[in-house]
């Protein structure tokens, strides 16, 4: 997982300064203009081409994907009358999810969580401008999260083309937020697999995966809380560019954020429990090893005593009454072996009967 760092200007930089951002994703500007009876979709070569659509009595969606340069962003801001501070936040990625209200439009920053090819968590900032009849979206990822929404517009599915830009705004927010559900489903499967591994045969790699999962869930929690607050402000507030009928849908979107937070908190507790189980499992394995070593040592204590007694070098004294009689006995050696094996067998029987083995 890449660290989620905020891009910022050097201290003392003038407010509204647009910084150059390097990205491997090429710039793509789509424009969709539609009513209930008409639909148009264009790929723009430069922002000025969207000017004729802005005065129409229709809904216009300008979708900007990839590496947007300060020049392009400044030109779009001039055409759509976007605030310079909001334009600055588009390029300074790593912003906290937020809602800024201006005179004739609102600006919203959200975060789109995804998993890369290696299964690591990646977070992409999504910026949205909403005005009367106009919606502008910015995201820098190579994937197209809003493809299903465009397809619904093309096919005239649902109520998208019957409503204005505020409902389209809700549809995009819903896509961004609902991306967390398949992500959390994947985390649930990983947690189940880690539980089995921790209980069966934990290792250092298992501990590393548990800590990685813990960091990713912590990042998701840090991103989800502000997004919930943004949705709460949207459906509870009185934004002039959002109709009252759309507030019900934004409230449903807010409910999704609450569900996501509940899942994230539950998974964080489960991962914390995995750490406890891992430590307990290691402790149990250590106790088992120590018990086995203690049993082996206990078995050899009497055997070592007998071997030590008969290992004393008093074999030359054969006439004294204090000499070892077994040393003069022809069957002394096998008798001592039999005694030692018998003692070991009796001790093993006692250990097993007392369930120490």
């Amino acid at each position: 997982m890449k660290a989620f760092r905020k891009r910022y200007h050097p201290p003392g930089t003038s407010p509204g300064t647009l910084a150059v951002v390097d990205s491997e994703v090429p710039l793509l500007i789509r424009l969709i203009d539609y009513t209930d009876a008409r639909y148009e979709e264009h790929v723009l070569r430069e922002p000025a081409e969207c000017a004729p659509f802005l005065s129409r009595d229709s809904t216009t969606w300008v979708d900007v994907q990839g590496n947007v340069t300060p020049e392009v962003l400044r030109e779009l801001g001039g055409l759509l009358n976007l605030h310079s501070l909001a334009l600055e936040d588009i390029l300074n990625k790593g912003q906290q999810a937020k809602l800024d209200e201006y005179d004739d439009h609102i600006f919203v920053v959200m975060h789109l969580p995804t998993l890369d090819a290696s299964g690591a968590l990646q977070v992409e900032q999504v910026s949205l401008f909403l005005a009367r009849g106009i919606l502008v979206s910015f995201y820098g990822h190579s994937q197209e999260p809003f493809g299903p929404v465009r397809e619904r517009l093309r096919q005239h599915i649902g109520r998208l083309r019957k409503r204005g830009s505020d409902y389209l705004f809700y549809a995009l927010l819903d896509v961004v937020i609902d991306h967390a559900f398949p992500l959390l489903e994947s985390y649930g499967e990983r947690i189940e697999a880690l539980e089995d591994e921790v209980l069966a045969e934990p290792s250092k790699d298992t501990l590393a995966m548990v800590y990685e999962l813990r960091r990713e869930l912590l990042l998701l929690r840090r991103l989800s809380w502000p997004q919930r607050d943004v949705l709460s402000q949207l459906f509870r507030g009185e934004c002039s560019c959002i109709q009252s009928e759309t507030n019900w849908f934004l409230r449903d979107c807010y409910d999704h954020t609450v569900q996501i937070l509940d899942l994230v908190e539950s998974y964080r507790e489960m991962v914390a429990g995995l750490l406890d189980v891992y430590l307990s499992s290691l402790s149990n394995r250590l106790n088992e090893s120590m018990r086995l070593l203690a049993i082996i040592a206990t078995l050899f204590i009497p055997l070592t005593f007998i071997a030590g007694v008969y290992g004393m070098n008093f074999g030359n004294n054969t006439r004294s009454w204090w000499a070892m009689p077994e040393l003069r006995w022809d069957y002394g050696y096998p008798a001592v072996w039999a005694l030692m094996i018998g003692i070991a067998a009796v001790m093993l029987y006692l250990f097993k009967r007392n369930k120490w083995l």
Side-chain angles (χ1 to χ4, degrees), residues 205-266:
D205 293 337
T206 306
L207 183 61
M209 288 188 289
V210 170
Y211 274 111
E212 180 69 20
L213 192 58
R214 184 184 181 186
R215 286 195 298 268
E216 293 183 358
L217 289 172
L218 182 61
L219 174 58
L220 275 179
R221 180 181 181 274
R222 188 166 66 88
L223 297 177
S224 300
W225 275 105
Q227 293 190 161
R228 189 195 68 165
D229 295 339
V230 168
L231 267 297
S232 177
Q233 294 176 40
L234 281 171
F235 84 84
R236 296 178 190 275
E238 297 181 356
C239 299
S240 59
C241 47
I242 297 179
Q243 301 179 12
S244 58
E245 294 84 358
T246 307
N247 284 331
W248 294 105
F249 296 97
L250 291 173
R251 183 171 184 174
D252 179 71
C253 211
Y254 169 81
D255 293 339
H256 290 182
T257 61
V258 174
Q259 295 173 23
I260 289 169
L261 273 172
D262 288 341
L263 285 173
V264 170
E265 291 294 339
S266 299

